[in-house]
Amino acid sequence: MEHLRWIRHRWQQVSAADSRQDWTSPANLLPSKSDLDPQDHTGHQLSGKRRTVVARHGPHQAEYHNISKGYQGNGIRTTKYTLLSFIPMNLFQQFHRAANLYFLFLVLLNWVPVVEAFQKEITMIPLAVVLTVIAFKDAMEDYRRYRYDQKINNTITHVHSRRQRRYVERRWAEVCVGDVVRLCCNEIIPADMVLLHSSDPNGICYIETANLDGETNLKQRQVVQDLPQQGSEFTPENFSSRIECENPNNDLRRFRGYMEHPNKVRVGLHSENLLLRSCTVRNTETVTGIVVYAGHETKAMQNNSGPRYKRSKLERRLNVDVLWSVVLLLLMCLTAAVGHGVWMSRLKDPVFMIPDDTDPALAGFYMFWTMIIVLQVLIPVSLYVSIEIVKLGQIYFIQNDLDLYNARLDSGVQCRALNITEDLGQIQYLFSDKTGTLTENRMLFRRCTVAGTEYPHHENARAMEQYEEQCHGPLDNTLTLRSRSSRKSLSCNRSSVSLNTLAAVSDIHSPHDTLRRHAAGAFSSTMECAVVPDVQLQRKLSALSTPLCPPLKHDTAELSHILDFFLALAVCNTVVVSSPSQPRHVVQMPVARTPLRSLEEMKALLQKLSLPRFSLSPSQNTDSPPGLTRRLFSRGRSATFAPYTPNTLSAQPHTPTSTTPSPIPTHTPSPSSTPMPIHRGAWGKDEELADEDSFEEEDDDEEEELLYEAESPDEAALVQAARAYGFTLLGRSPEQLLVVLPSTGPLSVPLLHLLPFDSTRKRMSVVVRHPLTGQVVVYTKGADNVIMELTTALGDDSCSREIMERTQQHLDDYAREGLRTLCVAKRVLDEAEYEPWLKRHAFAETSIENREELLLDSAQRLENNLTLLGATGIVDRLQEEVPETIEALQRAGIKVWVLTGDKQETAINIACACKLLRPTDRLLTANCDSKEACEARLCELQRDISTITERGLSDSSMGVSEGDAVISGFTLVIDGRTLDFALHEDLQKNFLDLTSGCRSVICCRSTPLQKSQVVRLIGDSLGVMTLAIGDGANDVSMIQVADVGVGISGQEGMQAVMSSDFAISRFKHLRKLLLVHGHWCYTRLANMILYFFYKNVMYVNLLFWFQFFSGFSGSTMTNSWVLIFFNLLFTSVPPLLYGVMDKDVSANTLLSLPQLYKAGQNCEAYLPSTFWLTILDAFYQSLICFFIPYCAYAGSDVGLLSFGSPINGSALLIILLHQVIESRTLTWLHAVVLLGSAAFYYTFVLVFSVTCVTCNSPTNLYGVETKLMSEPLYYCVCVLTTVLALLPRVLCRALLNSICPSDLVKAQKLDRSLLEQYWATIHQWKENKLDRQKLKSKHVPQTLSVNADVPHSVDCSQEPISVLS
């Protein structure tokens, strides 16, 4: 179908006669880039680190042809090879491996006549087979990439054609930089484009980046500010602006540049103006953009790095042992060379040799290289290929483990790194994020403090508990739908709810109507953020909302703080508002209606409260009392209220959402012109209205259908909390917010600037013009320690200082309860303060170089001298089975560190809840303000640990009494500032010594950079295996630094997953991933590698021993075909099965006994001593395998090949049975493979013996094998040789396991005993069933009862910990 569509498309192109040359108009003589003023703004000198983009069809044709020559096309090619380059390039890459180069050297060496050992063709077979297998694999992978490239490049999009003056269909590969592209809803973006036009009247569109980073929540993009054409239709021919932007890079979240209009006005370009390739347009009918990056220069292709490859610890050990094998080979060849030289020197005119004048020393030199060829299989050429195959098999079983599957998210474990599976079984240090990793990252508003008064929200907590009980479990039971947005839908809406949009599907008639009504909203990355208002806070707000209530003596300043606090929660965010009934994601601005509460009613209310009235005219002097609303929204300032209008504010520029300043739109409604009846939260009373029924119905529908999507779970919870108190966010556009305040209709809040959150500032701010006062107000929310440092008490106002002190106490209480804390503050700007800042900020936005630094400095200039409004406490519950998982990991010998940005008290509370901090642990804290204090504190804590340890604490399993307490371990808690000091080079040793004595470490207030520094310090300094796990973008650096990086596909997007080696959906899955699959992968691979070394050394030594009886002549007692195929074919498959399927201990036992994991940490399966013992055993078995047949056939007339036949047969049986002894799991598949290998060998040699006469020139193989196998002596020799060769290994293993068994051996015995008990129980049950049937056959009376229970049943799931005593 796709092929037919492509043919139709090409036919349309031919019939239209619109070639690529017709897309552009002839070049004109307009000024080029060099003719323009390069210094339109101070500091904007053009440099070579940027690119210029103009439209292809625009007036700048000459400039376009000059600058577009170096820009890439939009066609992509991810393949490595072409048909012509495949063979040479693939061979070139394969010969980068040292093993392949080694065998290529042997092939070439065998072509030298004086050292030739085998037929030239035979020597090439092993290398040819390995190269062919790998080349076939590479070819299949590259062909899949080729087909994907063709599919992408042939995708159709619509590009504007100058000749036809309309948008025509073009392939993606034909799109170029400067093309104007039009996209419809649900279409994929073909290249990185700057958004020029949107069908949305507000100039915004929405994209879904799931194809790029896995995130399914919608991202908002907006048209470049101040474009001359913003009507209903966009005319590409009239677009004459020029774009200057940075060169292509892989930063998905940054785009720096500016657009210069014909009037020389520059407008800053940001990431909000860029549509990225591979994203999908959503909820917008049409968008138009100009291509700035195409093909491999797009940010999506710049980030396309493919699978991650690391070198595992076991592989590094393997390389060392391969070098030892090379040394062993050289020693054996040197021995043979010396022996041959000595033998030749003592040989005088032998009759069986052709006279040769070669010097014995030179003959020995030649023999050295001949023996290199003969003994070549000592180096396992197929080992590396076998390891790759085994790891693919291990990954298959890991990814198909149902215990690691999350049905709610429909996701399992992902293995993104293909070659470090065995490292999962050797982890010694685990570094974990807290939020979203140990916790749900599903934020629920719990309590708040405003103006120093704490509101505990007890009803909210009780209602949520009852709701959870009614649902019979946690709120995870809410429905989550996966995004199928990759499929095109017929409508302009998304085809399904996004992954991070959660909606309640419970019964609306529940007694908890408030919870269910509020839970109807959908949030990105949250569960239902339902809030039941606090009674005390509700009563205070009711004083303003109900004029008929009795006068209350509330403090005006407190009411001002309350209103500003909730207004900040409603507007200081990036939440996107949507409704299922609307095609677009933005709630449209409503038509003005009669207000539910007029400003006159608010005046009457203030009269009842004995407060000054609104002053709608300028005050006469500065000492007069301020107006009502001004006093409520700007505490401590004496000014007047004047409702702003387009006339009064037309001269005041603003920059919505960080764009170039522009006048406030003339359509911005004033408070008196836009209010409409909207829901009043949980505290308002019904009013008598003319259309009351219809308004109530509409209000309920709107409230139930209002959906919130936020990139941060905190934002969604806070917006929902504000909504519960009547501060409802109804809609968002680039220039304004639509917010309902208590007792008013919707008010338009002009959005001047949005300063987004970043990890450096740890806060975000919005600059708005207040909807009632018209003042410029900065609302800021962020980490409590940051906001507290930026807040100041107003002069000598003791009340402000008291509020800050009480708020700090409440924050400490929240942290001790394990709540996430966040502070809210504001700052009111005078126009004299705002205008200079606006100029600097506009310059920073239009800068290309150092834009981030300039914007950071601009934000910090604004975010100071803040007035503290209050703080919130948000609960983030632990994921299921986190305590059990951490306890199991610690019992496995893994030291668990938690690196979090939360407060110290919050981290300690979570550590206690997840059993990271036990009641018997000694808590050590390090909070220092200077480097000297940090050094002293580290030394002091180290002395404390040493003192207590000397008194009897030797490890975490022992305890020592200190007073009335028993200490079983130490846990260090260190804050970010102290950690920064500790990471200095001169304090690193003290820090490492201190943490080595601690069972766990908690790093609070840590930054992403500190996280990565800690992981690198521990891994490099202590030489241990590290694992880092996280779920957010702030964990990416830590994940990439660790030996094994694990990402959680949680609520903070997919950045961590995209950077990880393994991805899981829940923290609890880490338990089985490490303790079971990690142990199995390491044990299997280690034993398989040792087995490879064993079988190669064992077989090669047979050839070496024969040299002592053949004058070290390089002769062999077997034909060269069997010699080459023995390791390549006959014994190659059983090790693969061994490496993929062997299970030394069952999964249940490994989970029940986490201490078994220590075997992998200590590398017990593959130690240097283990390697050399394996080599010695191979030497012994080769001696037995050679000399038993030698003694049996001594004095007989058997030929050379007849002597080698029982040796080969015995060697095959010994090697196969050796694997049977080493295997812990034997199934029918093992039997098939082992018997099949033996049958394959004997079939090959028999067929070879009866069909081949000249295959092994100059010797004759005809009839050798058939004659020997007809004699009983052959079988006696094979059986005796096999028994004597394997007997010592069996006896030593039995003796060792009986006298001093290891923990693994005990666990294996436990598995067998449980299995025997299980089958005994089954057998007993069957016997009882048979007895009952016999009784029934004898017509047992109805009064006779037969007990069908097993008399002595055995609990197969009993706790086996006591076995390892």
Side-chain angles (χ1 to χ4, degrees):
M1 193 66 184
E2 181 181 350
H3 184 64
L4 294 177
R5 182 183 179 187
W6 170 236
I7 294 176
R8 178 180 63 84
H9 167 65
R10 295 301 298 174
W11 172 253
Q12 289 176 350
Q13 284 185 321
V14 174
S15 61
D18 186 17
S19 62
R20 293 182 60 90
Q21 289 78 8
D22 295 332
W23 289 13
T24 60
S25 58
N28 53 30
L29 300 178
L30 289 178
S32 63
K33 176 181 176 182
S34 59
D35 300 326
L36 300 176
D37 181 12
Q39 298 185 7
D40 190 41
H41 292 288
T42 303
H44 272 270
Q45 290 82 5
L46 299 179
S47 66
K49 296 182 179 179
R50 62 182 70 178
R51 65 165 46 189
T52 302
V53 178
V54 296
R56 295 185 65 184
H57 50 262
H60 307 294
Q61 293 299 307
E63 182 179 4
Y64 174 79
H65 288 294
N66 291 331
I67 65 178
S68 62
K69 296 178 181 179
Y71 298 160
Q72 293 190 9
N74 200 43
I76 63 170
R77 189 173 79 90
T78 60
T79 57
K80 293 182 180 179
Y81 317 104
T82 64
L83 288 177
L84 296 178
S85 66
F86 174 74
I87 293 179
M89 286 190 63
N90 187 262
L91 290 176
F92 177 77
Q93 291 181 354
Q94 289 202 55
F95 283 121
H96 275 71
R97 288 186 174 182
N100 291 340
L101 283 177
Y102 165 74
F103 278 91
L104 177 62
F105 168 73
L106 294 182
V107 170
L108 298 177
L109 188 65
N110 195 60
W111 284 68
V112 179
V114 293
V115 296
E116 179 183 356
F118 306 122
Q119 299 180 36
K120 299 177 177 61
E121 298 80 4
I122 296 178
T123 312
M124 298 173 60
I125 290 177
L127 181 62
V129 170
V130 172
L131 295 179
T132 303
V133 171
I134 297 179
F136 178 78
K137 177 181 70 71
D138 293 342
M140 295 304 298
E141 292 178 355
D142 210 53
Y143 180 68
R144 284 194 293 267
R145 287 192 290 264
Y146 169 77
R147 294 187 61 184
Y148 176 78
D149 291 345
Q150 290 299 107
K151 180 179 179 180
I152 294 297
N153 291 331
N154 292 333
T155 304
I156 302 300
T157 190
H158 292 84
V159 181
H160 187 267
S161 171
R162 183 205 59 82
R163 183 183 183 89
Q164 300 186 20
R165 293 188 176 275
R166 64 182 179 88
Y167 291 95
V168 297
E169 288 187 350
R170 297 294 179 199
R171 296 189 307 139
W172 277 24
E174 297 174 345
V175 175
C176 298
V177 174
D179 280 337
V180 176
V181 180
R182 186 181 66 182
L183 300 170
C184 298
C185 187
N186 294 326
E187 286 189 353
I188 300 177
I189 301 169
D192 290 352
M193 309 188 307
V194 171
L195 183 59
L196 301 180
H197 183 266
S198 172
S199 60
D200 188 276
N202 296 311
I204 62 175
C205 77
Y206 293 89
I207 62 173
E208 185 182 79
T209 60
N211 294 335
L212 191 62
D213 57 13
E215 299 185 26
T216 55
N217 57 310
L218 297 184
K219 309 295 193 307
Q220 179 176 295
R221 296 294 182 263
Q222 63 187 49
V223 174
V224 178
Q225 185 67 25
D226 288 347
L227 273 181
Q229 307 176 57
Q230 281 304 310
S232 58
E233 294 294 335
F234 178 79
T235 307
E237 290 86 352
N238 297 333
F239 177 74
S240 57
S241 300
R242 176 183 286 101
I243 295 176
E244 292 277 349
C245 60
E246 59 187 352
N247 277 336
N249 58 74
N250 61 354
D251 193 341
L252 296 174
R253 302 184 180 276
R254 189 193 73 182
F255 177 63
R256 298 184 296 188
Y258 61 84
M259 180 180 291
E260 187 177 68
H261 298 311
N263 58 1
K264 300 304 174 108
V265 174
R266 291 182 176 179
V267 180
L269 299 178
H270 310 268
S271 58
E272 291 81 8
N273 307 125
L274 188 66
L275 303 181
L276 297 176
R277 177 190 174 107
S278 300
C279 298
T280 306
V281 178
R282 298 292 187 194
N283 295 353
T284 310
E285 293 177 1
T286 59
V287 297
T288 304
I290 182 171
V291 176
V292 291
Y293 305 128
H296 289 277
E297 293 181 340
T298 59
K299 293 182 180 292
M301 296 304 298
Q302 294 276 326
N303 281 274
N304 187 15
S305 58
R308 295 168 53 83
Y309 289 93
K310 292 183 178 180
R311 177 176 294 181
S312 66
K313 183 178 179 180
L314 189 62
E315 187 177 349
R316 294 193 295 268
R317 178 64 203 172
L318 167 64
N319 293 336
V320 174
D321 290 340
V322 168
L323 293 179
W324 281 117
S325 299
V326 172
V327 172
L328 184 61
L329 174 65
L330 295 178
L331 289 177
M332 296 172 68
C333 295
L334 184 61
T335 302
V338 173
H340 183 69
V342 172
W343 186 77
M344 288 290 294
S345 62
R346 294 181 178 179
L347 195 63
K348 303 298 183 182
D349 300 326
V351 296
F352 54 85
M353 290 185 63
I354 301 176
D356 191 1
D357 297 333
T358 304
D359 185 76
L362 183 59
F365 175 76
Y366 290 156
M367 186 53 57
F368 175 85
W369 297 108
T370 301
M371 292 302 298
I372 289 285
I373 300 174
V374 173
L375 306 180
Q376 60 178 294
V377 291
L378 183 63
I379 308 300
V381 63
S382 58
L383 176 58
Y384 291 96
V385 179
S386 301
I387 289 176
E388 290 185 6
I389 297 175
V390 166
K391 288 184 177 180
L392 290 176
Q394 293 176 348
I395 289 173
Y396 173 81
F397 284 109
I398 292 176
Q399 292 181 336
N400 287 274
D401 190 342
L402 291 179
D403 292 337
L404 303 181
Y405 173 75
N406 189 326
R408 185 173 65 87
L409 297 178
D410 191 21
S411 65
V413 62
Q414 302 176 33
C415 300
R416 299 175 53 81
L418 306 180
N419 55 342
I420 58 171
T421 55
E422 64 273 23
D423 282 348
L424 293 173
Q426 299 176 276
I427 302 301
Q428 296 165 284
Y429 276 75
L430 186 146
F431 300 90
S432 174
D433 179 39
K434 184 186 76 68
T435 304
T437 304
L438 301 179
T439 63
E440 292 280 1
N441 198 17
R442 293 178 175 177
M443 309 304 178
L444 299 175
F445 181 88
R446 275 293 176 260
R447 55 204 309 175
C448 66
T449 173
V450 186
T453 303
E454 208 272 330
Y455 303 99
H457 290 75
H458 294 309
E459 292 296 331
N460 183 44
R462 283 194 291 268
M464 186 57 64
E465 291 176 0
Q466 295 174 9
Y467 177 73
E468 293 179 3
E469 292 175 359
Q470 183 179 356
C471 293
H472 302 289
L475 290 178
D476 292 359
N477 296 330
T478 56
L479 179 63
T480 302
L481 301 178
R482 295 184 64 213
S483 173
R484 296 179 178 87
S485 54
S486 57
R487 305 175 184 175
K488 287 190 176 182
S489 58
L490 297 179
S491 67
C492 196
N493 291 322
R494 282 191 292 177
S495 56
S496 66
V497 182
S498 68
L499 174 65
N500 292 326
T501 302
L502 307 179
V505 289
S506 54
D507 183 11
I508 60 175
H509 301 292
S510 167
H512 305 284
D513 291 334
T514 302
L515 284 173
R516 299 202 184 270
R517 183 172 70 252
H518 286 273
F523 295 86
S524 171
S525 315
T526 63
M527 60 200 310
E528 298 92 337
C529 294
V531 177
V532 177
D534 184 83
V535 177
Q536 181 184 2
L537 187 55
Q538 176 183 346
R539 187 182 300 113
K540 292 180 180 180
L541 285 173
S542 299
L544 290 177
S545 63
T546 308
L548 302 179
C549 68
L552 299 176
K553 300 300 182 182
H554 291 297
D555 181 34
T556 307
E558 183 181 13
L559 292 177
S560 172
H561 277 75
I562 292 174
L563 294 177
D564 266 327
F565 175 79
F566 285 108
L567 182 60
L569 296 186
V571 302
C572 188
N573 54 69
T574 58
V575 172
V576 175
V577 188
S578 66
S579 175
S581 61
Q582 295 186 355
R584 295 182 179 86
H585 220 56
V586 172
V587 177
Q588 298 298 313
M589 300 301 173
V591 181
R593 297 183 181 179
T594 304
L596 178 65
R597 291 269 201 272
S598 67
L599 296 179
E600 295 298 328
E601 291 176 334
M602 297 186 68
K603 298 178 195 175
L605 170 62
L606 292 177
Q607 289 177 351
K608 290 185 178 184
L609 297 177
S610 301
L611 296 176
R613 298 182 48 163
F614 276 99
S615 176
L616 299 180
S617 61
S619 56
Q620 302 300 320
N621 56 68
T622 57
D623 295 333
S624 62
L628 164 67
T629 308
R630 180 178 298 278
R631 191 168 173 190
L632 289 177
F633 289 95
S634 56
R635 174 173 175 253
R637 303 184 60 86
S638 59
T640 59
F641 166 76
Y644 65 93
T645 62
N647 293 331
T648 60
L649 295 178
S650 59
Q652 302 297 336
H654 78 285
T655 306
T657 59
S658 303
T659 56
T660 301
S662 63
I664 290 181
T666 57
H667 66 272
T668 302
S670 64
S672 60
S673 63
T674 59
M676 64 172 288
I678 301 295
H679 77 284
R680 295 168 297 282
W683 48 270
K685 294 184 179 180
D686 294 333
E687 289 292 322
E688 297 293 328
L689 299 173
D691 196 10
E692 181 177 1
D693 295 339
S694 62
F695 273 44
E696 287 181 355
E697 181 179 356
E698 178 182 349
D699 184 67
D700 293 339
D701 292 342
E702 182 174 2
E703 184 176 356
E704 290 182 359
E705 294 182 357
L706 202 60
L707 306 177
Y708 293 142
E709 288 197 34
E711 295 184 9
S712 168
D714 303 74
E715 289 189 341
L718 296 178
V719 171
Q720 188 70 7
R723 184 185 181 192
Y725 286 97
F727 295 78
T728 304
L729 178 64
L730 291 184
R732 174 185 295 275
S733 73
E735 299 176 349
Q736 58 187 348
L737 304 169
L738 188 65
V739 181
V740 173
L741 301 184
S743 307
T744 70
L747 300 179
S748 177
V749 182
L751 179 61
L752 306 182
H753 305 276
L754 191 147
L755 308 178
F757 175 88
D758 61 67
S759 58
T760 302
R761 291 165 42 242
K762 294 186 179 180
R763 59 188 179 272
M764 75 162 293
S765 299
V766 292
V767 184
V768 299
R769 196 171 291 275
H770 201 281
L772 299 179
T773 66
Q775 292 176 313
V776 178
V777 183
V778 181
Y779 288 112
T780 303
K781 69 177 182 182
D784 53 287
N785 62 326
V786 175
I787 299 298
M788 282 296 186
E789 293 178 357
L790 299 175
T791 55
T792 56
L794 299 179
D796 297 330
D797 191 353
S798 59
C799 180
S800 297
R801 288 194 295 270
E802 184 180 356
I803 289 175
M804 295 177 62
E805 293 174 358
R806 290 204 303 263
T807 303
Q808 186 60 57
Q809 293 176 359
H810 298 153
L811 287 171
D812 296 338
D813 294 338
Y814 293 172
R816 280 189 285 270
E817 294 179 14
L819 301 180
R820 289 173 57 88
T821 57
L822 185 133
C823 282
V824 181
K826 76 163 188 175
R827 179 186 177 186
V828 179
L829 293 177
D830 292 332
E831 297 297 337
E833 296 176 303
Y834 175 61
E835 291 180 0
W837 176 86
L838 180 60
K839 293 180 181 179
R840 296 193 201 93
H841 192 71
F843 169 73
E845 288 179 330
T846 56
S847 300
I848 296 182
E849 285 81 14
N850 302 321
R851 174 182 288 185
E852 285 73 22
E853 293 77 5
L854 293 174
L855 289 175
L856 177 61
D857 179 70
S858 177
Q860 291 175 344
R861 288 176 180 271
L862 194 67
E863 297 166 334
N864 55 61
N865 298 325
L866 302 176
T867 299
L868 181 65
L869 298 176
T872 60
I874 299 176
V875 63
D876 185 12
R877 298 174 305 171
L878 283 178
Q879 295 182 18
E880 69 276 10
E881 300 183 27
V882 167
E884 294 81 1
T885 301
I886 290 182
E887 184 180 17
L889 295 177
Q890 289 182 329
R891 288 173 56 194
I894 300 176
K895 287 193 174 183
V896 181
W897 289 35
V898 173
L899 311 177
T900 178
D902 285 340
K903 287 174 63 68
Q904 179 171 302
E905 294 80 1
T906 304
I908 292 176
N909 182 280
I910 295 297
C912 293
C914 66
K915 295 185 179 180
L916 182 66
L917 179 60
R918 297 180 297 191
T920 56
D921 283 350
R922 173 74 174 270
L923 188 63
L924 309 175
T925 59
N927 301 316
C928 306
D929 295 328
S930 65
K931 183 178 178 181
E932 294 74 15
C934 176
E935 183 177 8
R937 182 59 177 165
L938 295 179
C939 295
E940 178 185 357
L941 294 177
Q942 190 174 353
R943 286 194 298 269
D944 292 344
I945 293 178
S946 301
T947 302
I948 297 176
T949 304
E950 290 174 358
R951 291 164 50 188
L953 180 61
S954 58
D955 55 51
S956 60
S957 63
M958 299 177 60
V960 60
S961 298
E962 184 183 22
D964 297 332
V966 177
I967 301 175
S968 61
F970 301 95
T971 297
L972 174 65
V973 180
I974 183 171
D975 66 353
R977 181 177 300 180
T978 309
L979 181 61
D980 196 27
F981 297 138
L983 292 176
H984 287 178
E985 186 175 356
D986 50 344
L987 293 185
Q988 288 181 0
K989 186 178 184 303
N990 294 337
F991 179 66
L992 291 172
D993 293 340
L994 174 61
T995 56
S996 298
C998 298
R999 193 172 58 90
S1000 58
V1001 178
I1002 303 172
C1003 300
C1004 312
R1005 300 293 192 191
S1006 55
T1007 64
L1009 179 60
Q1010 288 177 333
K1011 291 182 179 181
S1012 61
Q1013 289 175 341
V1014 168
V1015 175
R1016 180 180 285 108
L1017 175 64
I1018 296 299
D1020 295 344
S1021 301
L1022 302 182
V1024 294
M1025 292 292 295
T1026 59
L1027 181 146
I1029 180 171
D1031 73 319
N1034 59 334
D1035 304 317
V1036 169
S1037 58
M1038 172 179 69
I1039 289 174
Q1040 292 178 336
V1041 167
D1043 294 310
V1044 178
V1046 179
I1048 291 185
S1049 52
Q1051 311 295 332
E1052 293 188 8
M1054 301 290 289
Q1055 295 95 328
V1057 170
M1058 302 294 284
S1059 304
S1060 65
D1061 304 313
F1062 299 89
I1064 57 179
S1065 57
R1066 308 294 283 177
F1067 184 82
K1068 66 177 182 179
H1069 295 157
L1070 197 63
R1071 181 183 181 185
K1072 187 172 186 181
L1073 183 64
L1074 296 184
L1075 302 186
V1076 178
H1077 289 290
H1079 173 83
W1080 283 346
C1081 290
Y1082 167 73
T1083 305
R1084 292 165 175 170
L1085 206 58
N1087 290 335
M1088 190 200 76
I1089 292 174
L1090 290 174
Y1091 181 77
F1092 255 94
F1093 281 115
Y1094 150 77
K1095 72 184 187 70
N1096 284 22
V1097 172
M1098 187 267 184
Y1099 190 74
V1100 164
N1101 272 290
L1102 298 176
L1103 306 177
F1104 181 68
W1105 302 136
F1106 181 72
Q1107 302 307 312
F1108 288 90
F1109 301 91
S1110 60
F1112 299 98
S1113 61
S1115 303
T1116 59
M1117 68 288 191
T1118 183
N1119 70 78
S1120 54
W1121 291 96
V1122 173
L1123 179 65
I1124 295 298
F1125 286 160
F1126 193 88
N1127 281 292
L1128 192 63
L1129 297 178
F1130 303 145
T1131 60
S1132 60
V1133 178
L1136 300 182
L1137 189 66
Y1138 181 43
V1140 173
M1141 301 188 63
D1142 191 58
K1143 296 181 181 179
D1144 57 343
V1145 183
S1146 66
N1148 292 334
T1149 303
L1150 289 172
L1151 293 175
S1152 301
L1153 301 172
Q1155 52 267 41
L1156 297 176
Y1157 186 80
K1158 295 180 181 179
Q1161 293 175 333
N1162 300 328
C1163 303
E1164 294 180 4
Y1166 194 177
L1167 293 169
S1169 58
T1170 310
F1171 170 77
W1172 289 113
L1173 286 176
T1174 301
I1175 298 300
L1176 290 178
D1177 189 28
F1179 268 87
Y1180 164 77
Q1181 292 186 14
S1182 65
L1183 286 172
I1184 296 297
C1185 188
F1186 179 82
F1187 285 102
I1188 293 296
Y1190 177 81
C1191 296
Y1193 288 98
S1196 65
D1197 57 351
V1198 294
L1200 182 64
L1201 297 179
S1202 300
F1203 171 66
S1205 179
I1207 295 180
N1208 286 329
S1210 301
L1212 178 71
L1213 296 177
I1214 292 171
I1215 290 174
L1216 295 180
L1217 292 178
H1218 180 98
Q1219 181 171 332
V1220 173
I1221 296 173
E1222 293 298 315
S1223 298
R1224 301 295 178 267
T1225 302
L1226 293 176
T1227 63
W1228 65 269
L1229 192 58
H1230 290 78
V1232 170
V1233 171
L1234 292 172
L1235 293 178
S1237 297
F1240 181 36
Y1241 165 78
Y1242 280 106
T1243 301
F1244 178 84
V1245 296
L1246 286 175
V1247 171
F1248 211 68
S1249 176
V1250 298
T1251 59
C1252 183
V1253 178
T1254 60
C1255 297
N1256 196 58
S1257 177
T1259 57
N1260 186 4
L1261 302 176
Y1262 188 80
V1264 173
E1265 299 291 341
T1266 54
K1267 179 178 184 300
L1268 281 175
M1269 291 185 187
S1270 63
E1271 299 175 356
L1273 181 61
Y1274 175 87
Y1275 300 99
C1276 294
V1277 168
C1278 289
V1279 171
L1280 180 62
T1281 302
T1282 303
V1283 172
L1284 292 179
L1286 296 176
L1287 187 60
R1289 171 168 285 269
V1290 175
L1291 292 178
C1292 290
R1293 187 174 296 277
L1295 186 63
L1296 185 64
N1297 293 343
S1298 301
I1299 297 177
C1300 52
S1302 63
D1303 289 346
L1304 288 176
V1305 173
K1306 296 178 182 179
Q1308 293 165 8
K1309 293 180 180 178
L1310 177 64
D1311 278 341
R1312 287 193 293 270
S1313 64
L1314 292 177
L1315 186 62
E1316 292 173 359
Q1317 292 174 1
Y1318 169 78
W1319 287 112
T1321 303
I1322 294 297
H1323 180 69
Q1324 184 68 33
W1325 179 80
K1326 290 181 178 179
E1327 289 184 351
N1328 291 343
K1329 186 177 181 180
L1330 182 62
D1331 293 340
R1332 289 196 303 271
Q1333 292 176 351
K1334 291 181 180 179
L1335 290 176
K1336 288 181 180 180
S1337 63
K1338 295 180 180 181
H1339 305 287
V1340 181
Q1342 296 296 327
T1343 57
L1344 180 60
S1345 62
V1346 179
N1347 185 9
D1349 296 333
V1350 181
H1352 301 288
S1353 60
V1354 178
D1355 184 12
C1356 295
S1357 61
Q1358 58 184 334
E1359 180 64 33
I1361 297 178
S1362 59
V1363 176
L1364 303 183
S1365 56

